[in-house]
Amino acid sequence: QVQLVESGGGLVQAGGSLRLSCAASGSIFSIMGWYRQATGKPRELVAFITRGGTTTYADSLTGRFTISRDNAKNTVYLQMYSLTPEDTAVYYCYGDFFGRRWGQGTQVTVSS
């Protein structure tokens, strides 16, 4: 059974940092990444990373967010810095390998 399980979300003050983790099981994904969805807004891409370590970020987030992965642990991470209330959203992990699988999401709330 293929699963993606996120962790690390929570409440943080503006200017703070958070690190999200997403542990995959049941499949090896060529690409893993993160989307986020704020209330009342469409889901938007945050970043993704290939198994070889090539990264891509949403233009608006470059420099504040860093994506990485540990292939041995089949886990992808999202390190977020200088968070603002506009970063408040549910963050979803995904993996691509002959189709896309999603995690259940983890809430990130940034207070002003």
Side-chain angles (χ1 to χ4, degrees):
Q1 184 178 358
V2 178
Q3 279 190 313
L4 291 150
V5 181
E6 299 104 331
S7 60
L11 175 64
V12 63
Q13 289 188 333
S17 302
L18 274 178
R19 187 194 195 207
L20 306 182
S21 300
C22 174
S25 60
S27 181
I28 303 296
F29 297 103
S30 56
I31 293 174
M32 298 184 74
W34 296 88
Y35 273 74
R36 68 182 184 182
Q37 187 167 23
T39 302
K41 295 186 177 180
R43 193 173 292 193
E44 64 172 350
L45 175 70
V46 174
F48 61 88
I49 183 168
T50 69
R51 190 164 175 79
T54 301
T55 58
T56 300
Y57 294 91
D59 288 342
S60 61
L61 299 175
T62 300
R64 291 197 301 121
F65 289 16
T66 301
I67 190 170
S68 60
R69 69 189 284 176
D70 184 332
N71 291 330
K73 295 182 178 179
N74 212 11
T75 298
V76 65
Y77 305 96
L78 185 69
Q79 178 68 56
M80 304 183 291
Y81 302 96
S82 301
L83 288 163
T84 74
E86 289 67 39
D87 295 314
T88 295
V90 178
Y91 285 70
Y92 295 92
C93 167
Y94 74 93
D96 287 342
F97 186 71
F98 293 106
R100 177 163 291 181
R101 301 297 181 102
W102 293 93
Q104 81 286 355
T106 185
Q107 177 70 46
V108 172
T109 302
V110 184
S111 63
S112 57

